[in-house]
Amino acid sequence: MRALIVSGAPSGASLTARLADDAAATLRTEGHDVDVVRLVEVGWNPVPGPGDYGIEAFTGPLGDAAEGALLAGTLSPEVLRQQALLGAADLLVLVYPLWWYGMPAVLKGWVDRVFTQGFAYGLHDADGQPRKFGDGAFAGKRGLIVTAAGDRESAFTPRGVTGGIDDLLFPVTHGLLWYTGIAPLRPLTLLGVDTPLWEGFDAARSRLRERLVGVWEEEPLPFRRLLEDYDGARVLRADLAPGREGFGAHLR
Amino acid sequence: MRALIVSGAPSGASLTARLADDAAATLRTEGHDVDVVRLVEVGWNPVPGPGDYGIEAFTGPLGDAAEGALLAGTLSPEVLRQQALLGAADLLVLVYPLWWYGMPAVLKGWVDRVFTQGFAYGLHDADGQPRKFGDGAFAGKRGLIVTAAGDRESAFTPRGVTGGIDDLLFPVTHGLLWYTGIAPLRPLTLLGVDTPLWEGFDAARSRLRERLVGVWEEEPLPFRRLLEDYDGARVLRADLAPGREGFGAHLR
């Protein structure tokens, strides 16, 4: 199998950078092909510009420009290279520190630039139905988030002050991975990490290794499917999780 | 009063760019001082580097490097300039398209670089208690999110497939604004926006103008306060919203 590891670590010395290296080593030891993109080290530019799509200036929606460029073969080599890596991968691993409860900009901008319309979204099946949320361009792939955050573990529990960690990661597990057809695995979250010398690091490395060894057999998060579980207005059918609201209602 | 408008629009031609211009015009007409930062137009670099903190390379946590630089007076002029604008503002308006259910990287990276430790977080009161979630460096300021998203409005309802829009914005309203003491106003969300020629644009402009005219009198979102409503483990007290989980439990 083939894995793509994308690291949003702020430097090679940071804890998440070491975890990304570790993940690559583990997957290679297991006999897999591994690509690693260390975004800060390669100087990744996180801001899409007209040059991404071979145009001089934006005059309409970015998505349309991207789709036009895909069809015309004018997507920039920088974007095409990342799309090729993503397209070839059976497993996508996103490794990053949680900054302000989201991805660092460098990783968010990898998503913004690489997951283009026509390539990652905006697809339809033979019946004209949208292929998203459980189906999509990347159906058959698996996705794992590995993230580290500073607040203490109890703050991330379902009634903790930061909000529950599963809910905080929902825009990525459900809104990015599941949206594009990638089966999201349970995120590996390291909480209470307030220094690179954090005492839980060795245990975290072991947890990561174990997860990666079993990554092909693990049961993904059981999110619901758009065409089966939601009505024509894209609202969860009344007979499913009746009366429930919140992100958790989207799990079977 | 003084407002800071930060635009994460991908180009000057985009719908959110026009809304940011509109917001500035409205606030100026009302007699306020307004600063506008159009991140893409000014070529904002969204990735914090050692140069932000006057050092050669990262050797420890970024937060510590930033706090050290603040004390030593070695924060970069680029960061200091934005911090001065933010510090002077009574109102912060963040205007951006919702991309993959979050901020475009250029805006996330404005937050990542400008909201530094020692300046925006990591503060304590005279009793050594943390000043965050309802108190903090920016207590007394107000914050308004203005965002536009492509999915249809029903998809963003509490049982819609994307997740409810209030929940999707919680990492910003609660995790960024409220965390740093900024009173978050109800976000102004434009949904079902799939083209810059979107037919709801004029109505959206009117809504924005109305909100800004009344922005100083409006009641902020009633989020709970860390030192009053949470226990020592940073978990919501059992007698508040008993049995409830999810982001909504953090509203009084």
Side-chain angles (χ1 to χ4, degrees):
Chain A
M1 309 293 262
R2 190 168 198 98
L4 173 61
I5 299 170
V6 184
S7 166
S11 84
S14 65
L15 183 137
T16 45
R18 288 183 286 148
L19 290 175
D21 292 343
D22 245 34
T26 298
L27 288 164
R28 286 186 182 125
T29 300
E30 292 291 304
H32 306 298
D33 296 309
V34 182
D35 297 301
V36 187
V37 179
R38 297 175 180 88
L39 292 166
V40 169
E41 272 111 318
V42 302
W44 179 256
N45 166 20
V47 184
D52 280 12
Y53 316 128
I55 56 178
E56 293 290 317
F58 291 124
T59 53
L62 259 68
D64 293 351
E67 190 161 3
L70 185 76
L71 295 170
T74 54
L75 277 175
S76 76
E78 202 176 328
V79 171
L80 282 173
R81 164 82 180 138
Q82 298 300 315
Q83 292 187 339
L85 291 174
L86 177 57
D90 304 293
L91 171 70
L92 173 64
V93 185
L94 302 174
V95 189
Y96 59 99
L98 198 69
W99 284 0
W100 295 107
Y101 307 108
M103 292 180 186
V106 74
L107 179 57
K108 181 56 169 49
W110 181 80
V111 172
D112 290 346
R113 291 183 67 204
V114 175
F115 281 64
T116 59
Q117 184 175 318
F119 172 70
Y121 71 97
L123 283 68
H124 294 80
D125 66 18
D127 297 327
Q129 295 293 324
R131 296 186 61 198
K132 59 183 182 181
F133 293 117
D135 187 20
F138 305 138
K141 301 186 193 301
R142 310 187 136 220
L144 176 66
I145 297 166
V146 179
T147 192
D151 307 74
R152 64 186 73 180
E153 196 160 350
S154 55
F156 286 107
T157 56
R159 286 171 57 84
V161 69
T162 63
I165 187 66
D166 292 342
D167 284 349
L168 290 166
L169 295 177
F170 180 88
V172 188
T173 53
H174 188 267
L176 176 68
L177 301 177
W178 189 237
Y179 188 107
T180 59
I182 301 175
L185 305 177
R186 187 168 39 84
L188 197 161
T189 56
L190 315 179
L191 308 177
V193 180
D194 51 3
T195 153
L197 300 174
W198 175 58
E199 59 186 12
F201 185 61
D202 286 338
R205 294 176 85 168
S206 300
R207 280 170 61 203
L208 176 56
R209 282 198 202 106
E210 274 169 38
R211 288 292 301 278
L212 289 172
V213 168
V215 78
W216 313 101
E217 286 75 39
E218 198 183 303
E219 204 61 43
L221 293 176
F223 283 128
R224 300 179 188 278
R225 292 179 186 281
L226 178 63
L227 301 184
E228 298 166 26
D229 299 332
Y230 298 83
D231 64 21
R234 313 267 162 94
V235 173
L236 188 58
R237 280 170 28 202
D239 59 310
L240 298 173
R244 252 191 97 181
E245 297 188 347
F247 294 154
H250 300 283
L251 288 163
R252 284 175 195 259
Chain B
M1 308 291 263
R2 188 167 201 100
L4 172 61
I5 299 170
V6 184
S7 167
S11 84
S14 65
L15 184 138
T16 45
R18 288 182 287 148
L19 290 174
D21 291 344
D22 246 35
T26 299
L27 287 165
R28 285 185 182 124
T29 299
E30 293 290 306
H32 307 298
D33 296 308
V34 182
D35 297 300
V36 187
V37 179
R38 297 174 181 87
L39 292 167
V40 168
E41 273 111 316
V42 302
W44 180 256
N45 166 23
V47 184
D52 280 13
Y53 315 129
I55 56 179
E56 292 291 319
F58 290 125
T59 53
L62 259 68
D64 293 351
E67 191 161 1
L70 185 78
L71 295 171
T74 54
L75 277 175
S76 76
E78 202 176 330
V79 171
L80 282 172
R81 164 80 179 139
Q82 298 300 316
Q83 291 186 340
L85 291 174
L86 177 57
D90 303 294
L91 171 70
L92 172 65
V93 185
L94 302 174
V95 189
Y96 59 99
L98 199 68
W99 284 0
W100 296 108
Y101 307 108
M103 293 180 186
V106 74
L107 180 56
K108 182 55 169 47
W110 182 80
V111 172
D112 291 345
R113 291 183 67 204
V114 175
F115 281 63
T116 59
Q117 183 174 318
F119 173 70
Y121 71 97
L123 282 68
H124 295 81
D125 67 17
D127 297 326
Q129 294 293 325
R131 295 187 62 197
K132 60 183 180 181
F133 292 117
D135 188 21
F138 306 137
K141 301 186 194 301
R142 310 186 136 221
L144 175 66
I145 297 166
V146 179
T147 191
D151 307 76
R152 65 187 70 183
E153 194 159 350
S154 55
F156 286 107
T157 56
R159 285 171 59 85
V161 68
T162 64
I165 188 66
D166 291 342
D167 284 348
L168 290 166
L169 295 177
F170 180 88
V172 188
T173 52
H174 188 266
L176 177 68
L177 300 178
W178 190 237
Y179 187 107
T180 58
I182 300 174
L185 304 177
R186 187 167 39 84
L188 196 160
T189 58
L190 315 178
L191 308 176
V193 180
D194 51 3
T195 152
L197 299 175
W198 175 60
E199 58 186 11
F201 185 61
D202 285 340
R205 293 176 86 167
S206 299
R207 280 170 61 203
L208 176 57
R209 281 197 202 104
E210 274 169 38
R211 288 292 302 277
L212 289 172
V213 168
V215 77
W216 312 102
E217 285 74 41
E218 200 182 298
E219 203 60 44
L221 293 176
F223 283 128
R224 301 180 188 278
R225 293 178 185 280
L226 179 63
L227 300 184
E228 296 165 27
D229 299 332
Y230 299 82
D231 64 21
R234 313 266 161 94
V235 173
L236 188 57
R237 280 170 28 201
D239 59 311
L240 299 174
R244 253 191 97 182
E245 297 186 348
F247 294 155
H250 300 282
L251 288 163
R252 284 174 194 258

